[in-house]
Amino acid sequence: MSVRVRYGPSPTGEPHVGNIRTALFDWLLARRFGGQFIVRIEDTDQSRAVEGTEQLILDALTWLGLDWDEGPDVGGPFGPYRQSERLPLYVEAADRLIAEGKAYRCVCSSERLDALRKSQQQAKQPPGYDRRCRELGLPGDEPHVVRLAMPLDGDTVVNDYLRGDVFFQNALLDDHVLLKRDGFPTYHLASVVDDHHMQITHVIRGDEWLSSAPRHVQTYAVLGWDEPIWVHLPIIRGPDKGKLSKRHGATSVREYADKGFLPEALLNFLALLGWSRDETTTIMSRDEIVESFDLDGLGLASAMFDIERLSEMNARYIRDLDPADFLARGKPHLELRLGHSVENDALDRLLTIAPAIQERVKLMPEFADYTDFFFNDGPLDYANDALMGKAYKNKPWMALESVEASLQTLRSVAESGWTAEALEAALRDLATERGEKPGALFTPIRVAATGKRIAPPLFDTLETLGQARTLERLNAAAERLARPDD
Ligand code: GLU
């Protein structure tokens, strides 16, 4: 049996990180077993559909690297892949069930249903349709919905892959709607009909759908179709054990991209929300996850969304990037900061210092903080206080003397010897010679060269900046210190 799994997003908004976990597990199962991953747009609730969101959903999948074999844009042998384009299939199933006495037309008005609900609430009875139209065998000439005639007693058993048999008392399940008055199916009918026609082998979804599963099991039964394997994933919780929500950082995939998370870090993180390879391994590449993924690695207990953990993972992934790749990914952030484009040759000059920057960047937009000064031609913007640092606080004349000594030393370094090692040796000797703490000497140099108190390692920075620009910037700093009141 070849694995066929589908991700069935409703186009009602941007995909949420919790929701995309389902797509990831679908994709992993398909890729692991050489099956197909299908995207099916579940747009039968027309009132909730939001224009443009289908594309955002596809974009989120693409960004994460979850490619699909069949879907609304690429088509496939079981299309169309938008439920709103498959209405005849749902009507056909509903008509068949009516003809066989397994479903029925119901003309109860929404006023009647509201009143029924209220009286059930008052009487503390479980809510649900009272089946008034069930035995009437109504013809289709009045506006109506179609309801499934559910069994009245006994249990429905849902065999969930992770939970085993789950029993639902039929007496507590009412006759739910299959087809609405507008001729559109409900989710309950559409998902079953499509999963059958699309030959879906595993339905993987969040456990908020477990309570609907007995309805689906009954629908398969009356239609005479084989059920797929049901996999209801454990609910995702925040560190406070509450259901995952915005306050835990559960926002759209795009917001994660914009904040500077790498797709491979988010993918690794999401894969661990309910799945694990073993007790200890946490960092795994996409390929490693695919290779070791299977349903037996899923568990019910372990889906905690901890943004701290994601941030740490992201920093780790950034650190492990190939430096050239790191620069390429940082480039758009730098260009945004500078307001102009940066040539690749110019960017390549950062290759040596890139690993040191990778140690410091936790989120990709910070790339600009650690690199923009290399591309700035005008005077840098910093306060004289920063230049003086702690050691020369309120003593601009002493800071000036220190900067002038540094200038002299740096001027004497031959251009050919302008390397981080040589610069470090020369400046450390100078500090010793002057009886100054190295930090006292280095702070003004760092601020003068970068305009910042926090920057990449000093000597690598100076090497990358080059002798001419370093001297120019230190001269500018000396001038500022000579006119401290400006
Ligand atoms: N359209 C449903 C949702 O957005 C899909 C549920 C399912 O996978 O069956 O959650």
Side-chain angles (χ1 to χ4, degrees):
M1 177 175 77
S2 153
V3 167
R4 287 181 55 81
V5 276
R6 86 314 194 258
Y7 172 50
S10 297
T12 52
E14 290 209 44
H16 195 269
V17 283
N19 183 270
I20 213 90
R21 174 193 63 164
T22 302
L24 172 60
F25 286 178
D26 282 320
W27 180 85
L28 287 169
L29 192 69
R31 293 296 169 260
R32 168 74 171 79
F33 294 104
Q36 281 92 44
F37 174 54
I38 294 140
V39 176
R40 181 173 78 211
I41 301 296
E42 305 209 330
D43 58 349
T44 57
D45 189 347
Q46 298 276 297
S47 62
R48 288 177 61 234
V50 180
E51 176 84 26
T53 48
E54 177 181 317
Q55 191 55 47
L56 297 177
I57 292 164
L58 299 180
D59 290 348
L61 293 173
T62 303
W63 181 75
L64 272 173
L66 308 183
D67 55 332
W68 52 99
D69 306 294
E70 300 167 30
D73 54 342
V74 293
F78 299 91
Y81 293 90
R82 279 184 205 96
Q83 290 186 325
S84 59
E85 296 166 13
R86 301 172 61 82
L87 300 185
L89 288 169
Y90 313 127
V91 173
E92 182 190 300
D95 284 349
R96 168 146 83 83
L97 292 177
I98 295 172
E100 293 173 1
K102 292 166 181 164
Y104 60 93
R105 299 188 183 92
C106 165
V107 295
C108 290
S109 64
S110 53
E111 292 75 31
R112 173 168 192 271
L113 297 177
D114 283 347
L116 178 65
R117 196 172 311 121
K118 280 203 192 99
S119 73
Q120 284 167 334
Q121 259 165 11
Q122 272 163 8
K124 303 222 166 3
Q125 287 167 349
Y129 180 57
D130 62 359
R131 306 189 161 103
R132 191 166 91 159
C133 295
R134 179 157 166 165
E135 303 305 332
L136 301 181
L138 295 169
D141 45 7
E142 261 183 78
H144 61 270
V145 301
V146 176
R147 290 181 184 272
L148 184 67
M150 288 283 281
L152 301 175
D153 45 33
D155 289 323
T156 300
V157 183
V158 176
N159 185 267
D160 179 78
Y161 195 87
L162 303 179
R163 294 166 180 78
D165 284 345
V166 186
F167 290 79
F168 293 85
Q169 274 182 50
N170 291 330
L172 299 178
L173 299 167
D174 71 348
D175 292 351
H176 59 274
V177 174
L178 297 174
L179 266 193
K180 296 180 276 187
R181 248 164 237 265
D182 61 4
F184 275 72
T186 56
Y187 162 70
H188 300 308
L189 179 63
S191 63
V192 167
V193 168
D194 287 346
D195 288 343
H196 170 72
H197 287 299
M198 295 182 174
Q199 299 180 10
I200 298 304
T201 55
H202 299 73
V203 166
I204 304 178
R205 58 189 176 187
D207 71 357
E208 68 271 26
W209 295 108
L210 184 59
S211 60
S212 302
R215 302 182 181 285
H216 305 159
V217 166
Q218 287 298 340
T219 310
Y220 275 98
V222 291
L223 286 164
W225 296 339
D226 289 338
E227 290 174 43
I229 294 168
W230 303 105
V231 187
H232 290 91
L233 299 172
I235 190 170
I236 303 178
R237 297 184 188 279
D240 61 1
K241 306 269 192 297
K243 185 170 185 287
L244 181 66
S245 70
K246 268 216 149 84
R247 83 197 133 91
H248 303 117
T251 49
S252 69
V253 175
R254 187 175 28 181
E255 276 175 77
Y256 280 89
D258 290 349
K259 279 194 190 135
F261 287 93
L262 301 185
E264 49 271 65
L266 187 60
L267 184 133
N268 188 160
F269 174 76
L270 291 177
L272 297 175
L273 294 182
W275 174 82
S276 59
R277 182 167 91 182
D278 51 43
E279 308 257 297
T280 48
T281 317
T282 52
I283 301 290
M284 283 166 282
S285 70
R286 172 193 317 267
D287 289 348
E288 285 168 337
I289 299 172
V290 168
E291 273 164 32
S292 47
F293 188 82
D294 66 27
L295 295 179
D296 293 334
L298 294 175
L300 288 175
S302 53
M304 207 239 278
F305 192 100
D306 180 353
I307 187 92
E308 290 296 320
R309 183 179 189 199
L310 171 59
S311 304
E312 282 165 25
M313 252 185 200
N314 198 55
R316 163 82 183 259
Y317 269 88
I318 290 177
R319 223 164 43 228
D320 290 348
L321 285 176
D322 172 67
D325 186 14
F326 171 67
L327 294 179
R329 297 199 208 204
K331 187 175 166 187
H333 299 284
L334 173 63
E335 292 180 333
L336 192 68
R337 170 75 53 85
L338 296 175
H340 58 77
S341 60
V342 172
E343 295 294 319
N344 284 336
D345 288 356
L347 203 65
D348 282 351
R349 274 192 268 120
L350 303 185
L351 270 173
T352 337
I353 200 172
I357 301 176
Q358 285 171 254
E359 294 284 333
R360 289 161 171 75
V361 170
K362 305 257 181 291
L363 292 167
M364 284 311 290
E366 295 160 16
F367 180 82
D369 300 334
Y370 288 102
T371 55
D372 58 356
F373 54 88
F374 288 116
F375 300 88
N376 239 322
D377 290 326
L380 300 179
D381 182 24
Y382 54 82
N384 279 12
D385 279 352
L387 207 48
M388 292 180 276
K390 267 203 212 102
Y392 301 122
K393 191 163 188 254
N394 299 327
K395 295 180 187 126
W397 63 91
M398 286 183 68
L400 176 60
E401 209 193 33
S402 168
V403 168
E404 283 182 335
S406 301
L407 260 170
Q408 203 176 2
T409 299
L410 292 172
R411 263 191 225 108
S412 68
V413 175
E415 211 184 317
S416 57
W418 191 261
T419 62
E421 297 72 44
L423 295 169
E424 175 161 14
L427 289 170
R428 285 197 189 277
D429 283 353
L430 177 64
T432 314
E433 202 180 289
R434 289 175 47 81
E436 233 175 347
K437 286 207 179 105
L441 185 83
F442 300 162
T443 297
I445 305 177
R446 173 178 303 109
V447 174
T450 67
K452 299 169 200 261
R453 292 175 206 250
I454 296 171
L458 180 61
F459 310 109
D460 295 300
T461 301
L462 300 184
E463 177 186 318
T464 303
L465 201 56
Q467 187 168 26
R469 291 178 103 195
T470 302
L471 295 179
E472 189 185 301
R473 288 184 181 183
L474 276 174
N475 271 319
E479 270 171 41
R480 288 173 65 144
L481 290 167
R483 294 178 279 106
D485 296 332
D486 279 8

